[in-house]
């Protein structure tokens, strides 16, 4: 065997480099990065919106870190705060409505790192963030739509907790913060569908501690569009259809 062939046999695997942040702050007290996925970066208006928000988030954390360092320098004895914010596309419906999951990771030297999750619904036609209100005939606090939504969310969470063998926390105490209002039901996205251009329903995203102990991690509750069919506007009826793709609920934790 030639020397080149012998060396090839022992070649080490090539790993992809870690993605570079689209915005970053790096100092002795904070290392924060903001990441946008490729689909978001392909839309200049959406990318600019997310990046502006991400930069403001990083700057706020830098300010907080500076205050903490002045008050308690020992908090930084093990190094700088480490933080990441990621914007990831969940679905694009009707070529218009883009659902984005915004995930935060924060290690500020406490007992364990923390995480948070929120969502964005972007209307490409109007180049702005919107809510799910246009898809429903009414979304009043404690109204029929929101009550049906909360009921379906809790049913979905109970199923997921049974899968994880954590049914002991499927209780009213852990669900007490879920209210029949758009602001308190959870961060929502349009779920992908087996039918192109449609959404199979709504997914609600919950960070650790929101509906269960930290050890249980994040939860995602799925509400099929059929459960909300009586409350749909014509636009909602156009947006929803099909079923949730197999495997869409994988890797929730």
């Amino acid at each position: 065997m030639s020397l080149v062939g012998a060396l090839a046999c022992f070649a080490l695997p090539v790993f992809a480099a870690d993605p570079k942040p689209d915005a970053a702050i790096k100092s002795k007290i904070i290392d924060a990065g903001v990441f946008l996925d490729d689909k978001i970066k392909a839309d200049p208006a959406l990318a600019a919106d997310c990046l502006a928000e991400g930069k403001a988030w990083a700057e706020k954390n830098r300010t907080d870190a500076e205050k903490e360092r002045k008050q308690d320098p020992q908090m930084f004895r093990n190094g700088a705060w480490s933080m990441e914010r990621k914007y990831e596309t969940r679905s694009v419906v009707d070529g218009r409505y883009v659902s984005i999951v915004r995930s935060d990771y924060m290690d500020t030297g406490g007992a364990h790192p923390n995480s948070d999750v929120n969502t964005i619904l972007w209307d490409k036609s109007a180049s702005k963030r919107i809510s799910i209100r246009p898809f429903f005939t009414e979304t009043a606090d404690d109204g029929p739509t929101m009550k049906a939504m909360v009921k379906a969310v809790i049913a979905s969470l109970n199923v997921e907790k049974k899968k994880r063998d954590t049914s002991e926390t499927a209780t009213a105490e852990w669900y007490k913060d879920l209210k029949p209002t758009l602001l308190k039901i959870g961060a929502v996205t349009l779920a992908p569908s087996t039918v192109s251009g449609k959404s199979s329903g709504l997914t609600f995203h919950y960070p650790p501690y929101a509906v269960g102990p930290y050890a249980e991690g994040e939860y995602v509750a799925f509400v099929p569009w059929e459960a909300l069919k009586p409350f749909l506007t014509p636009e909602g009826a156009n947006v929803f259809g099909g079923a949730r793709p197999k495997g869409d609920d994988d890797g929730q934790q």
Side-chain angles (χ1 to χ4, degrees):
M1 183 182 292
S2 68
L3 178 60
V4 172
L7 291 174
C9 292
F10 293 97
L12 296 174
V14 177
F15 296 100
D18 291 336
K20 293 182 178 179
D22 297 284
I25 295 175
K26 192 174 181 66
S27 70
K28 292 181 178 180
I29 60 172
I30 188 169
D31 185 356
V34 178
F35 300 81
L36 313 182
D37 74 15
D38 290 340
K39 289 183 179 180
I40 294 172
K41 286 189 277 192
D43 183 330
L46 175 56
D49 181 274
C50 293
L51 200 56
E53 179 187 68
K55 286 180 177 179
W57 169 82
E59 287 290 348
K60 180 183 183 303
N61 280 297
R62 173 162 62 179
T63 299
D64 291 345
E66 288 173 348
K67 289 180 180 178
E68 289 291 342
R69 182 184 61 81
K70 290 177 181 178
Q71 293 174 4
D72 186 4
Q74 288 300 309
M75 284 191 65
F76 297 86
R77 65 186 181 278
N78 294 323
W81 285 6
S82 178
M83 300 186 167
E84 285 187 354
R85 170 166 284 189
K86 294 182 178 180
Y87 294 83
E88 297 176 301
T89 304
R90 168 137 175 75
S91 67
V92 180
V93 175
D94 196 30
R96 176 178 178 179
Y97 301 113
V98 184
S99 288
I100 296 166
V101 177
R102 191 189 77 193
S103 303
D104 294 345
Y105 168 87
M106 300 150 287
D107 186 351
T108 58
H112 54 70
N114 287 313
S115 61
D116 196 12
V117 63
N118 213 319
T119 59
I120 298 165
L121 181 58
W122 180 261
D123 183 345
K124 290 172 66 72
S125 297
S127 291
K128 67 178 184 179
R129 300 185 186 199
I130 63 169
S131 75
I132 59 173
R133 291 186 190 278
F135 308 139
F136 299 97
T137 54
E138 66 84 35
T139 52
D141 293 356
D142 296 309
T145 303
M146 297 310 303
K147 285 182 176 179
M149 215 175 278
V150 167
K151 182 179 179 181
V153 163
I154 290 175
S156 176
L157 289 172
N158 287 343
V159 170
E160 181 60 27
K161 283 177 179 275
K162 187 175 181 180
K163 288 181 184 177
R164 300 189 191 183
D165 196 24
T166 56
S167 294
E168 68 275 7
T169 65
T171 63
E173 179 62 23
W174 277 110
Y175 298 155
K176 66 182 179 181
D177 291 331
L178 299 180
K179 306 293 185 184
T181 77
L182 280 180
L183 294 179
K184 294 187 178 181
I185 192 172
V188 63
T189 58
L190 299 176
S193 174
T194 53
V195 176
S196 177
K198 298 289 186 179
S199 169
S200 60
L202 302 176
T203 36
F204 294 84
H205 303 253
Y206 302 98
Y209 291 126
V211 292
Y214 176 83
E216 290 182 15
E218 295 185 5
Y219 277 97
V220 177
F222 171 65
V223 178
W225 71 272
E226 293 92 341
L228 304 173
K229 188 174 181 179
F231 312 108
L232 296 179
T233 60
E235 179 62 12
N238 178 63
V239 162
F240 293 106
R244 191 181 192 187
K246 185 178 180 180
D248 184 60
D249 60 346
D250 288 348
Q252 285 196 43
Q253 288 179 284

